[in-house]
Amino acid sequence: MPDQLPHAHLVIETIPGSGEFNMAMDAALLSLAIHRTESVVRLYRWNTPTVSLGYFQATSITNGRQNNPFVSLPVVRRLSGGGAILHHHEWTYSCILPPNHPARHNPSQLYQTVHLAIIDLLSRCNAPCKLRGDSSFINTLESSAPANEEHFLCFLRGNPNDIVHQRGPKVVGSAQRRRQGAILQHGSLLLRTSPHAPAVPGLLELSPSLDSALLDAELPRTIARAVASQWHLRTWTDQELELASQMRG
């Protein structure tokens, strides 16, 4: 990306939010971004294990084998596409970029820009990872899954832009929604395995020596640095909270 990028506002939510609030705020920020000239980078967590469904995803897979295994958990709908995500032990990030951001000319490149920055940080935190599409990397996880099977969970699906641990499993997945030149990209970074999805390992299982303190401290700045030349910390504005409340309905 160019050396000079639009300024960003960085919001780090220290108190985990509900699924309804988390998705409503992402939607509100995308709506507001259409008329803004600065980006917003948001880091947040979830106050209870919650399933988010991709925008076009049914609540079950209709191939006769894959059904929603999380019927007892809260379910929300994301603006972005893809498979279901069980949000539990993770960091979730959002980058909301205005129409004047150069990423609008190649939105798909934004995946790689953000993910390469995260990969560099993970390396410094003792968790060696790569992009799935790296030609020098062989993903051992996919070799055990039927090539034509569409998993209910996003983290059991594959995309070249995924961040995968050197042992094979996917640890970061992201998705986008675009509207009138503005871009919302949000993604999940799995910290450890959820008891609700034992087949999906987290970073602490894959790299027991993970420097969690460094990761927590540097992840917000790492993502902000990937999409903005300068940024500053702030909290939510009244306008953002009001619109999120309206969208939460």
Side-chain angles (χ1 to χ4, degrees), residues 149-163:
E149 183 174 346
E150 185 180 46
H151 289 279
F152 183 77
L153 282 176
C154 172
F155 274 80
L156 294 177
R157 298 183 181 186
N159 182 283
N161 289 313
D162 294 338
I163 298 178

Side-chain angles (χ1 to χ4, degrees), residues 130-146:
K130 295 184 180 181
L131 291 176
R132 187 189 299 274
D134 187 328
S135 61
S136 66
F137 185 77
I138 299 175
N139 184 1
T140 57
L141 180 65
E142 288 187 322
S143 62
S144 62

